[in-house]
């Protein structure tokens, strides 16, 4: 075998990279020597740990950077683990990595061994070539952006330029080990930033075997398996300093300290995010998340302002609310006797008892609601289209253009590679690749099992919702009986606001929220289990499959109760004398809406679930890691600095799992659903989301910077499957809001009355309440429906009061069509359907027009991409021509022949800089 290293492509071999024994010690083919003599290995016993800096991120020689840490505790009964570690570390060294072990006697707890890993230049260059990592080859020569008008207004929100742009702007090209002198390499030790170095190391760790060469078990591969079986306790890259203090080592960048100072502190909430520094330190995948979260928060500001204006409109138009005045007046509302809202235990009641809920309903159920629903349909389109432009700009600036194909081809999951048993020709690359053989029966069986599990859990959610509905029906009757004499009026401030409907709605919403949280925890493990069983090929495919399952489940889990209140509650109740019961056979009568309308109940449900989720999420994200870290490092606080090394500090932090970002996205996308799907019922939802997200950005930043080990850097060119989910939610939100305005709100019945049924020609709402209530003869109640003795209030006299009213449009008793729907009912139904069709078409037309008008990729980015591709081709061409000249010149000199005339090919000035 030659002295060069090469990619084997055989996942079942001992190591992914084949190297000769002397390839790491001899000079490689590109003229870059790798001499271990440059890095002397001192005897650990000769090095006093007290003399080391607490912030050192280098080997004991002070020269080789620590790229990764493996830690373990040597168990008494751990002979198999010792054997695995021995073989694994030997194979890592065969793959070119350099290791240095800190003995347990040197650790702060006296039990933990730390294996420090350094990646030499030759290995970095080889894998950078394999992974097609883009590196700079020329400084960017495109003029900077023009100054934004009134830019000085944004000065308080700006960060220093060295924080926003920690690196110069370069044109980049995929690294090629054979053309090293083509790239701008000043120092091999710092050419690849730590995030790229730890990404390369993890790529090797995930594929390195821990079996002996003569072993028949070729499936023993990867650090993930070693972590799962307890061979190693942790594997992580190092932070470069303490977060509250810059490193004393001049060779350490202290980027963690800069991130904490300018990004992670809460009092920086009004500042822009240093996205380039985030990307440099944590990698593109985490950088894209924070870019999306920041952009989403910025766009929420506009939705929050408009929603607040609509809410204030409802607040300041109380005096124009004629129907609420009629409800509250003694002459109208005080003389309208309403039918019982439940059987037996509910008595008759006067309409003016719902005065407060009527006023509350008006704050959300007014003309502004319609405008805001239409506005949000357009806002969500602008948000998604402008995000595509922002994402396209980041893709170029962060060298992510055309990255997806590389990710699909090169970043296979080790769990998939282990299961591969045969090779097949890839029609795209025309190379043999390992594939997973599956029979049709096995594939269909696993798919059916996985989705049957998902359906089973969704059915469990629906069953829980039905249980909550049954609770509502049963408890409402109890609350109505207890509160018939208004005992809550004795409670100061809020006593008069508490009604049986409100008490039932609030307690049911709280119970539903608890059930949601419990089911989330249980289903999370199920979703991961069934996704693992599908054995996805790539990390991207794995996350996409898990995303679909988790979002589908959480969509039903979080939104089903809101859908029930919005579209089912109060819609199938029947009429007095002919009520509809749950399941048809139970004694639980279907729930009616609050006399103020179902919209206020939907608002209550939305506020409790949405606000509860946000508060619980922030507590879970911030408080739990802090408590765990405080408890885990309580012993180390008494140690002097020299005894508590950089790797020990990071070891005591919480591990950031490979699904950490998945849960962050899921939390925000669920919130996005709340503010779009049901925003017509609660215009303040975007304001709540905005306030939460301002905190969320800094909590996440603080958590990443202070509470978690440094994650392994990973690449991602977009937010992945979440983009399609957001698009689907955006389209669905137009439909849900149109139905909420039409069927949950009282907006359409009021408009129909004002324009078609109001007396006179002044388009007044006078008489609307009386018009919207039908009449029922009390004598028509059966014994099962009639209130029990003592349940009706003292003022009710059955000999005087013979009728009661209910919300519907039906003919009165004595009419030839008594208790059937009137023509006004059908007019209102037609108006509701017409409104849905018109609103949907108008919003969708505007959405598609806006999407067509706004290009996904800015013209400037297109020009920069074309410029970069042109430069790569031009400089590579000139580079190859110059190399050819030099080779032919050497050949002619060796042969002592006459000089050869070469064609005069122009050599650009910048080429000489590269060479």
């Amino acid at each position: 075998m030659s002295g060069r290293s090469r990619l084997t492509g055989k996942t079942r071999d001992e190591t992914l990279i084949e190297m000769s024994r002397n390839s790491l010690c001899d000079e490689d083919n590109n003229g870059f020597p790798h001499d271990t003599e440059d890095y002397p290995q001192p005897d650990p016993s000769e090095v006093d740990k007290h003399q080391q800096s607490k912030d050192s991120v280098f080997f004991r020689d002070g020269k080789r950077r620590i790229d990764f840490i493996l830690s373990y505790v040597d168990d008494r009964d751990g002979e198999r683990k010792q054997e695995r570690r021995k073989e694994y570390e030997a194979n890592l060294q065969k793959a070119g990595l350099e290791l240095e072990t800190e003995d347990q006697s040197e650790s702060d707890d006296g039990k933990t061994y730390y294996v420090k890993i350094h990646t030499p230049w030759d290995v970095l260059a080889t894998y950078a070539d394999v992974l097609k990592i883009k590196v700079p080859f020329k400084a960017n020569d495109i003029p900077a952006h023009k100054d934004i008008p009134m830019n000085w207004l944004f000065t308080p929100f700006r960060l220093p330029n060295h924080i926003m742009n920690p690196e110069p702007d370069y044109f980049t090209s995929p690294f090629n080990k054979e053309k090293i002198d083509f790239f701008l390499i000043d120092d091999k030790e710092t050419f690849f930033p730590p995030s790229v170095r730890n990404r390369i190391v993890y790529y090797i760790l995930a594929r390195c075997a821990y079996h002996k060469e003569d072993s028949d078990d070729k499936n023993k591969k990867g650090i993930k398996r070693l972590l799962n079986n307890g061979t190693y306790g942790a594997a992580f890259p190092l932070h470069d300093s303490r977060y509250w203090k810059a490193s004393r080592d001049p060779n350490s960048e202290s980027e963690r300290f800069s991130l904490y100072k300018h990004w992670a502190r809460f009092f920086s909430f009004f500042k822009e995010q240093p996205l380039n520094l985030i990307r440099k330190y944590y990698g593109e995948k985490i950088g894209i998340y924070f870019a999306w979260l920041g952009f989403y928060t910025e766009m929420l500001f506009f939705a929050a302002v408009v929603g607040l204006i609509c809410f204030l409109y409802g607040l300041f138009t109380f005096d124009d609310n004629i129907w609420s005045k009629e409800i509250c007046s003694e002459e109208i509302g005080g003389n309208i006797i309403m039918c019982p809202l439940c059987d037996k235990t509910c008595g008759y009641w006067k309409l003016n008892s719902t005065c407060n809920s009527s006023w509350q309903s008006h704050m959300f159920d007014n003309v502004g609601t319609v405008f805001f629903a239409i506005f949000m349909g357009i806002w969500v389109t602008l948000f998604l289209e402008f995000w595509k432009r922002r994402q396209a700009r980041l893709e170029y600036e962060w060298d992510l253009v055309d990255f997806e194909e590389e990710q699909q081809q090169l970043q296979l999951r080790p769990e998939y590679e282990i299961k591969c048993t045969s090779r097949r020709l890839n029609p795209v690359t025309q190379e043999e690749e390992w594939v997973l053989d599956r029979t049709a029966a096995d594939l269909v069986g696993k798919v059916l099992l996985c989705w049957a599990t998902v359906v089973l859990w969704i059915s469990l959610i629906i069953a829980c919702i039905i249980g909550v509905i049954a609770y509502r029906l049963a408890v409402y009757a109890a609350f109505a009986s207890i509160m018939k004499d208004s005992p809550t009026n004795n409670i100061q401030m809020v006593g008069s606001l508490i009604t049986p409907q409100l008490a039932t709605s609030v307690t049911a919403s709280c119970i539903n929220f608890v059930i949601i949280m419990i089911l989330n925890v249980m289903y999370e493990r199920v979703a991961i289990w069934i996704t693992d069983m599908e054995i996805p090929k790539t990390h991207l495919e794995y996350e996409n499959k898990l995303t679909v399952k988790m979002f589908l489940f959480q969509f039903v889990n979080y939104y089903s109760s809101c859908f029930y209140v919005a579209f089912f509650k109060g819609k199938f109740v029947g009429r007095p004398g002919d009520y509809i019961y749950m399941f048809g056979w139970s004694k639980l009568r279907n729930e009616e809406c609050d006399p103020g309308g179902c919209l206020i109940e939907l608002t209550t449900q939305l506020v409790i679930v949405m606000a509860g989720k946000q508060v619980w999420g922030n507590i879970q994200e911030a408080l739990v890691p802090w408590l765990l870290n405080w408890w885990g490092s309580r012993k180390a606080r008494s140690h002097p600095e020299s005894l508590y090394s950089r790797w020990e500090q990071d070891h005591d932090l919480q591990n950031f799992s490979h699904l950490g970002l998945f849960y962050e996205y899921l939390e925000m996308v669920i919130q996005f659903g709340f503010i779009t799907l049901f925003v017509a019922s609660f215009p303040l939802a975007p304001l709540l989301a905005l306030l939460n997200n301002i905190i969320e950005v800094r909590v996440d930043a603080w958590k990443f910077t202070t509470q978690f080990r440094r994650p392994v850097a990973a690449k991602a060119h977009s937010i992945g499957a979440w983009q399609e989910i957001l698009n689907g939610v955006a389209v669905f939100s137009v439909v849900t809001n149109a139905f909420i305005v039409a069927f949950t709100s009282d907006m359409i019945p009021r408009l129909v009355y004002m324009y078609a049924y109001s007396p006179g020609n002044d388009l007044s709402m006078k008489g609307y309440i009386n018009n919207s209530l039908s009449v029922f003869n009390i004598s028509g109640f059966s014994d099962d429906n009639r209130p029990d003795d003592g349940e009706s209030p003292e003022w009710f006299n059955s000999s005087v009061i013979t009728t009661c009213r209910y919300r519907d449009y039906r003919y009165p008793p004595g009419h030839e069509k008594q208790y059937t729907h009137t023509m006004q009912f059908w007019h209102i139904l037609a108006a509701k359907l017409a409104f849905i069709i018109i609103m949907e078409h108008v919003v969708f037309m505007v959405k598609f027009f806006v999407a067509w008008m706004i290009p996904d990729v800015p013209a400037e980015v297109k020009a920069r991409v074309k410029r970069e591709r042109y430069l790569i081709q031009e400089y590579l061409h000139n580079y190859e021509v110059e190399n050819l000249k030099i080779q032919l010149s050497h050949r002619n000199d060796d042969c002592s022949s006459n000089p050869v005339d070469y064609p005069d090919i122009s050599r650009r000035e910048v080429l000489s800089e590269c060479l």
Side-chain angles (χ1 to χ4, degrees):
M1 183 178 174
S2 65
R4 286 180 51 209
S5 60
R6 66 182 180 86
L7 181 68
T8 67
K10 298 181 179 180
T11 60
R12 301 180 70 82
D13 290 343
E14 286 77 0
T15 58
L16 186 67
I17 295 293
E18 290 182 358
M19 295 184 178
S20 68
R21 289 296 179 118
N22 299 323
S23 63
L24 297 180
C25 300
D26 299 335
E27 189 171 348
D28 67 11
N29 293 340
N30 297 307
F32 283 87
H34 180 72
D35 296 328
T36 56
E37 295 178 358
D38 294 340
Y39 304 125
Q41 302 246 7
D43 185 352
S45 62
E46 298 176 359
V47 179
D48 185 2
K49 189 178 178 183
H50 291 252
Q51 298 177 358
Q52 284 188 295
S53 169
K54 179 179 182 178
D55 288 330
S56 175
V57 291
F58 295 90
F59 274 21
R60 292 194 173 188
D61 56 25
K63 296 180 179 179
R64 289 173 291 174
R65 175 182 286 273
I66 301 173
D67 296 316
F68 227 85
I69 292 289
L70 304 178
S71 70
Y72 63 91
V73 176
D74 199 358
D75 300 328
R76 294 179 179 178
D77 301 326
E79 293 183 3
R80 293 186 61 186
K81 294 179 182 179
Q82 289 181 10
E83 186 67 24
R84 292 189 198 121
R85 285 193 291 266
K86 180 180 177 181
E87 294 298 332
Y88 187 66
E89 292 172 15
N91 288 333
L92 289 178
Q93 290 177 320
K94 289 180 182 178
L97 300 181
E98 296 178 3
L99 309 181
E100 183 179 84
T101 302
E102 288 283 336
D103 191 78
Q104 62 179 354
S105 61
E106 298 291 333
S107 63
D108 64 300
D109 60 3
K111 299 184 295 183
T112 307
Y113 290 87
Y114 293 95
V115 181
K116 297 176 285 187
I117 300 176
H118 170 75
T119 318
W121 165 259
D122 186 70
V123 178
L124 287 172
T126 299
Y127 277 94
D129 194 349
V130 168
L131 298 175
K132 304 300 180 186
I133 292 173
K134 290 189 175 182
V135 294
F137 70 92
K138 180 188 182 300
N140 180 17
D141 60 357
I142 296 180
H145 303 295
K146 296 181 180 179
D147 291 336
I148 302 174
M150 307 292 286
N151 190 40
W152 57 272
L153 290 174
F154 301 97
T155 302
F157 308 102
R158 303 292 187 199
L159 289 174
N161 187 62
H162 72 278
I163 299 297
M164 289 301 298
N165 301 293
E167 294 180 326
D169 193 7
Y170 292 108
F171 289 120
T172 59
S173 174
F175 185 80
N176 189 332
K177 190 178 179 183
E178 305 296 331
K179 300 179 177 63
I180 286 184
D181 51 349
F182 176 74
F183 303 102
L184 300 177
I185 303 177
D186 295 327
D187 185 354
K188 292 186 296 180
E189 294 301 319
T190 59
F191 180 65
F192 294 108
S195 58
V196 174
R197 296 173 70 103
N198 71 57
R199 178 184 164 213
I200 290 175
V201 174
Y202 188 76
Y203 188 86
I204 299 173
L205 294 176
R207 288 158 176 79
C208 188
Y210 56 90
H211 58 76
K212 294 182 179 180
E213 295 182 1
D214 56 351
S215 174
D216 295 331
D217 190 354
K218 305 296 185 181
N219 292 335
K220 294 182 177 180
K221 286 186 177 182
I223 186 63
K224 190 173 180 180
R225 281 195 165 193
L226 292 173
L227 291 172
N228 290 338
N229 61 33
T231 304
Y232 289 102
F236 54 92
L238 286 179
H239 285 294
D240 60 5
S241 68
R242 288 169 287 177
Y243 67 85
W244 68 90
K245 186 177 180 181
S247 175
R248 293 179 300 186
D249 191 332
N251 295 321
S252 182
E253 298 85 353
S254 297
E255 292 174 347
R256 184 191 189 193
F257 169 70
S258 298
L259 286 170
Y260 176 74
K261 181 179 178 182
H262 297 282
W263 177 52
R265 293 190 300 182
F266 177 75
F267 291 106
S268 301
F269 71 90
F270 59 93
K271 296 283 188 179
E272 59 185 336
Q273 296 188 85
L275 294 177
N276 289 325
L277 185 58
I278 297 170
R279 172 247 182 169
K280 182 185 177 186
Y281 192 75
Y282 290 113
E284 289 79 4
K285 191 171 185 178
I286 291 177
I288 282 283
Y289 164 73
F290 280 104
W292 176 82
L293 179 58
F295 182 77
Y296 172 46
T297 304
E298 292 171 13
M299 291 294 292
L300 272 177
F301 173 79
F302 302 101
V305 169
V306 177
L308 181 61
I309 292 173
C310 292
F311 174 76
L312 293 176
Y313 170 80
L315 194 63
F316 291 129
T317 54
F318 268 8
D319 292 339
D320 300 330
N321 186 5
I322 296 176
W323 52 91
S324 290
K325 291 181 179 179
E326 290 185 348
I327 291 175
C328 295
S329 70
E330 286 293 335
E331 294 77 13
I332 301 176
N335 291 321
I336 295 179
I337 310 302
M338 301 295 293
C339 297
L341 293 176
C342 65
D343 296 337
K344 296 289 187 179
T345 58
C346 294
Y348 298 95
W349 52 283
K350 292 183 179 181
L351 183 61
N352 64 353
S353 65
T354 63
C355 179
N356 288 328
S357 63
S358 176
W359 287 115
Q360 295 164 11
S361 179
H362 175 72
M363 290 189 292
F364 306 106
D365 189 5
N366 53 66
V367 178
T369 301
V370 181
F371 167 77
F372 190 59
I374 296 174
F375 168 81
M376 287 301 293
I378 300 171
W379 173 87
V380 74
T381 303
L382 291 173
F383 163 64
L384 294 174
E385 292 302 317
F386 282 130
W387 166 246
K388 289 178 185 177
R389 291 171 62 84
R390 177 73 65 89
Q391 185 172 265
R393 189 180 298 278
L394 289 175
E395 280 185 34
Y396 171 74
E397 293 176 353
W398 292 357
D399 302 323
L400 299 171
V401 179
D402 302 327
F403 169 70
E404 185 172 5
E405 291 184 7
E406 302 167 17
Q407 189 180 43
Q408 291 282 356
Q409 295 171 10
L410 298 173
Q411 297 194 11
L412 301 179
R413 295 177 66 238
E415 295 85 353
Y416 174 85
E417 293 179 323
I418 290 172
K419 299 291 184 181
C420 292
T421 55
S422 61
R423 297 170 68 90
R424 187 180 302 163
L425 182 68
N426 187 315
V428 177
T429 62
Q430 290 297 306
E431 295 180 359
E432 294 285 333
E433 64 178 10
W434 286 101
V435 293
L436 183 63
D437 287 334
R438 289 180 173 177
T439 64
D442 176 60
L443 185 61
V444 172
K446 285 190 174 180
V447 170
L448 290 178
L449 177 62
C450 292
W451 286 103
T453 306
V454 175
V455 171
L456 176 65
W457 277 85
I458 290 177
S459 302
L460 179 61
I461 298 172
I462 296 173
C464 291
I465 295 300
I466 293 174
V468 173
I469 294 172
Y471 166 85
R472 285 173 174 269
L473 300 178
V475 170
Y476 176 77
F479 279 135
S481 178
I482 294 171
M483 295 181 179
K484 64 178 183 293
D485 296 325
S486 301
T488 58
N489 286 337
N490 297 326
I491 302 176
Q492 295 182 359
M493 298 294 292
V494 298
S496 60
L497 302 178
I498 299 177
T499 62
Q501 293 89 350
L502 180 62
T504 303
S505 181
V506 170
T507 56
S509 298
C510 292
I511 291 173
N512 183 66
F513 176 72
V514 173
I515 293 174
I516 287 173
M517 293 295 104
I518 294 173
L519 290 177
N520 273 347
V521 174
M522 296 171 63
Y523 180 75
E524 175 186 321
R525 299 184 179 183
V526 175
I528 294 174
W529 172 70
I530 59 179
T531 306
D532 288 339
M533 194 167 58
E534 293 181 35
I535 318 176
K537 184 176 181 180
T538 65
H539 294 285
L540 180 64
E541 185 180 348
Y542 180 90
E543 289 191 7
N544 289 346
K545 287 179 178 292
L546 183 62
T547 297
V548 172
K549 294 180 182 67
M550 284 294 292
F551 179 76
L552 182 61
F553 172 82
Q554 295 218 5
F555 183 92
V556 178
N557 197 16
Y558 278 108
Y559 303 144
S560 54
S561 58
C562 294
F563 274 105
Y564 162 73
V565 175
F567 305 123
F568 296 97
K569 183 178 179 181
K571 306 299 185 296
F572 310 100
V573 297
R575 61 170 181 83
D578 188 21
Y579 289 117
I580 299 176
Y581 290 81
M582 189 176 183
F583 303 123
W585 48 265
S586 70
K587 294 184 178 181
L588 298 175
R589 199 171 95 191
N590 281 357
E591 198 174 7
E592 295 188 41
C593 285
D594 187 282
C598 271
L599 194 72
I600 190 66
E601 293 194 44
L602 177 59
T603 303
T604 304
Q605 179 77 21
L606 187 64
V607 169
I608 290 176
V609 176
M610 180 180 174
K613 181 184 183 302
Q614 293 182 167
V615 171
W616 175 254
N618 285 327
I619 292 175
Q620 200 172 23
E621 288 184 18
L623 189 60
V624 172
W626 180 82
L627 288 174
L628 291 175
N629 287 335
W630 174 84
W631 181 257
S633 63
R634 65 194 186 283
K635 295 180 181 179
R637 289 195 296 272
S638 61
H639 289 186
E641 289 189 0
S642 60
L643 289 178
Y644 197 37
S645 60
R646 172 83 269 130
W647 47 89
E648 290 168 333
Q649 295 173 57
D650 287 5
H651 182 265
D652 288 339
L653 298 177
Q654 295 301 301
N655 181 48
F656 187 76
S657 71
H658 68 287
L659 293 176
L661 273 188
F662 168 81
Y663 296 117
E664 301 291 345
Y665 275 117
L666 184 61
E667 179 186 6
M668 288 295 103
V669 171
I670 293 297
Q671 182 203 82
F672 180 81
F674 279 122
I675 69 165
T676 53
L677 294 174
F678 309 103
V679 75
S681 67
F682 188 45
L684 293 180
L687 180 61
L688 287 182
L690 174 64
L691 297 176
N692 174 80
N693 287 9
I694 290 174
I695 299 173
E696 179 78 20
V697 172
R698 304 303 159 177
V699 167
D700 285 350
W702 173 82
K703 182 176 62 178
F704 271 89
T705 309
T706 68
Q707 303 303 308
F708 282 105
R709 298 170 187 159
R710 187 174 184 173
V712 178
K715 283 205 163 192
H717 75 293
S718 67
I719 61 175
W722 300 112
Q723 183 78 40
E724 296 304 319
I725 289 176
L726 291 174
N727 289 331
V729 172
V731 173
F732 192 45
S733 67
V734 178
V735 179
T736 56
N737 283 303
F739 271 85
I740 287 173
V741 174
F743 287 98
T744 309
S745 165
D746 282 340
M747 183 62 59
I748 302 301
R750 288 199 291 260
L751 292 176
V752 170
Y753 173 81
M754 185 171 67
Y755 287 103
Y757 291 92
S758 63
N761 299 320
D762 56 352
L763 298 180
S764 172
M765 290 299 296
K766 290 182 179 179
Y768 169 72
I769 293 300
N770 187 62
N771 176 267
S772 64
L773 298 174
S774 298
V775 180
F776 180 74
N777 195 325
I778 292 176
S779 62
F781 276 125
S782 64
D783 292 338
D784 293 334
N785 301 141
R786 186 176 290 108
D788 291 336
D789 295 338
E791 294 295 339
S792 295
E794 295 179 357
W795 50 260
F796 180 77
N797 188 342
S798 59
S799 60
V800 177
I801 301 173
T802 59
T803 61
C804 64
R805 310 293 293 273
Y806 59 99
R807 285 171 58 94
D808 209 340
Y809 295 91
R810 295 178 183 269
Y811 289 109
H815 193 278
E816 60 180 355
K817 297 181 180 179
Q818 68 174 3
Y819 303 140
T820 60
H821 286 119
T822 63
M823 188 57 65
Q824 186 176 353
F825 170 84
W826 301 109
H827 287 170
I828 292 173
L829 180 61
K832 289 179 177 180
L833 297 177
F835 172 82
I836 291 172
I837 295 172
I838 293 172
M839 177 179 169
E840 287 182 356
H841 280 71
V842 168
V843 174
F844 280 134
M845 286 178 62
V846 174
K847 282 169 64 72
F848 291 138
F849 178 74
V850 169
W852 174 75
M853 284 288 293
I854 302 175
D856 291 348
V857 182
E860 174 202 355
V861 173
K862 290 181 179 179
R864 289 169 67 95
V865 171
K866 291 179 181 178
R867 169 75 172 157
E868 184 168 300
R869 288 175 176 170
Y870 165 76
L871 287 176
I872 292 174
Q873 294 177 355
E874 185 77 7
Y875 291 165
L876 280 175
H877 167 73
N878 292 344
Y879 174 84
E880 295 293 349
V881 169
E882 291 298 326
N883 279 347
L884 179 61
K885 283 184 178 182
I886 294 171
Q887 291 175 9
L888 293 176
S889 175
H890 287 319
R891 186 183 305 171
N892 291 332
D893 290 343
D894 293 340
C895 298
S896 301
S897 60
N898 294 327
V900 181
D901 293 331
Y902 303 110
D904 185 15
I905 300 176
S906 62
R907 182 177 181 183
R908 297 181 178 271
E909 180 180 352
V910 72
L911 180 61
S912 62
E913 299 176 4
C914 295
L915 297 177

